[in-house]
Amino acid sequence: MALVHVQCPQCQSIDVVQYGKQAHGTQRYHCNNPDCQRTIFLLQDHDKGRLPAVKQQIVDMTLNGSGVRDIVRVLGVSSATVIDVLKKKSRA
Ligand SMILES: [Zn+2]
């Protein structure tokens, strides 16, 4: 089973657990950070690749030797997003 790394949109903590589901099946997450205002949140997969934190993770994973397919699987972004981020990064 692949572990999906989820970050709290409020505090960017990765200390997050799955917390049941919405009626229509969307996974809910619970932030374990005691200082965080936002305890329960949903993941919005469609714009995940636009988050600066995800872009940074793509770069970090690449530097750590992960391939595009690894990143797609772990972060849940599309391969097009990964390649796009890396292209923009290498140009900068
Ligand atoms: Zn949080």
Side-chain angles (χ1 to χ4, degrees), residues 2-68:
L3 184 69
V4 179
H5 291 281
V6 180
Q7 266 188 322
C8 175
Q10 189 78 28
C11 66
Q12 309 300 316
S13 167
I14 53 164
D15 189 10
V16 157
V17 292
Q18 295 192 339
Y19 204 72
K21 286 183 176 171
Q22 300 283 89
H24 54 275
T26 307
Q27 181 69 52
R28 285 193 303 183
Y29 294 91
H30 181 264
C31 180
N32 282 334
N33 182 355
D35 300 326
C36 185
Q37 303 294 312
R38 186 163 179 175
T39 50
I40 292 173
F41 62 93
L42 302 173
L43 260 197
Q44 282 150 340
D45 280 309
H46 56 277
D47 57 1
K48 211 176 155 190
R50 294 187 194 148
L51 296 172
V54 172
K55 288 183 182 171
Q56 190 54 51
Q57 255 182 305
I58 290 170
V59 174
D60 288 347
M61 286 183 70
T62 303
L63 293 176
N64 284 327
S66 297
V68 172

